[in-house]
Amino acid sequence: IDQLNDYFTKWYNSIEKAIEAEQAQKEALKNARQNFVNPFKVGQVLYDSWGYDQTNIDFFQIVEVGKMSVKIRPISQIMTRAAGFMCEYVKPAIDEFTGEESQKRVVLDSRLQPHVSGRRGWLSTLDREEIYQSHYA
């Protein structure tokens, strides 16, 4: 019976710790939202990489920044160099808009890092000159 008591005491304590950790995470998220300063800037380029047996790249340019949102517009891409059969490296064509603007939420992840929500997850911040793209389908 002592082993059973020890087991249930440890189990109960682990549940209490999990609840406390969840409450602390919720409080940290609440504080982060209250003190949030949107790090995204007008003119900044974001991209989405997607595809099953190919790598498609869609570029977006931020045209307006709100408290917890951004407005983006899709932009064209420029091929910078070939990379083989049906693949190349591309870069964004700044200010060459291909569609209407849409408003996207800025979301804080579990580490309280900001991300822009996209159709398939988070849009990535462009951190290099060019990006690989393929068309194998």
Side-chain angles (χ1 to χ4, degrees), residues 87-106:
C87 56
E88 69 273 348
Y89 285 88
V90 295
K91 69 178 186 176
I94 305 298
D95 294 330
E96 288 187 21
F97 300 107
T98 61
E100 298 301 312
E101 70 181 33
S102 61
Q103 185 161 333
K104 300 293 182 181
R105 292 184 323 138
V106 175

Side-chain angles (χ1 to χ4, degrees), residues 1 13 25 42 75 77 85 94 105 108 114-115 124 129:
I1 231 133
N13 288 341
Q25 177 68 16
V42 170
I75 57 176
Q77 58 180 236
F85 179 68
I94 305 298
R105 292 184 323 138
L108 296 175
H115 300 279
S124 299
E129 183 76 21

Side-chain angles (χ1 to χ4, degrees), residues 107-123:
V107 179
L108 296 175
D109 68 14
S110 62
R111 295 170 297 153
L112 305 179
Q113 299 298 309
H115 300 279
V116 174
S117 60
R119 285 191 315 217
R120 300 170 203 64
W122 291 329
L123 299 177

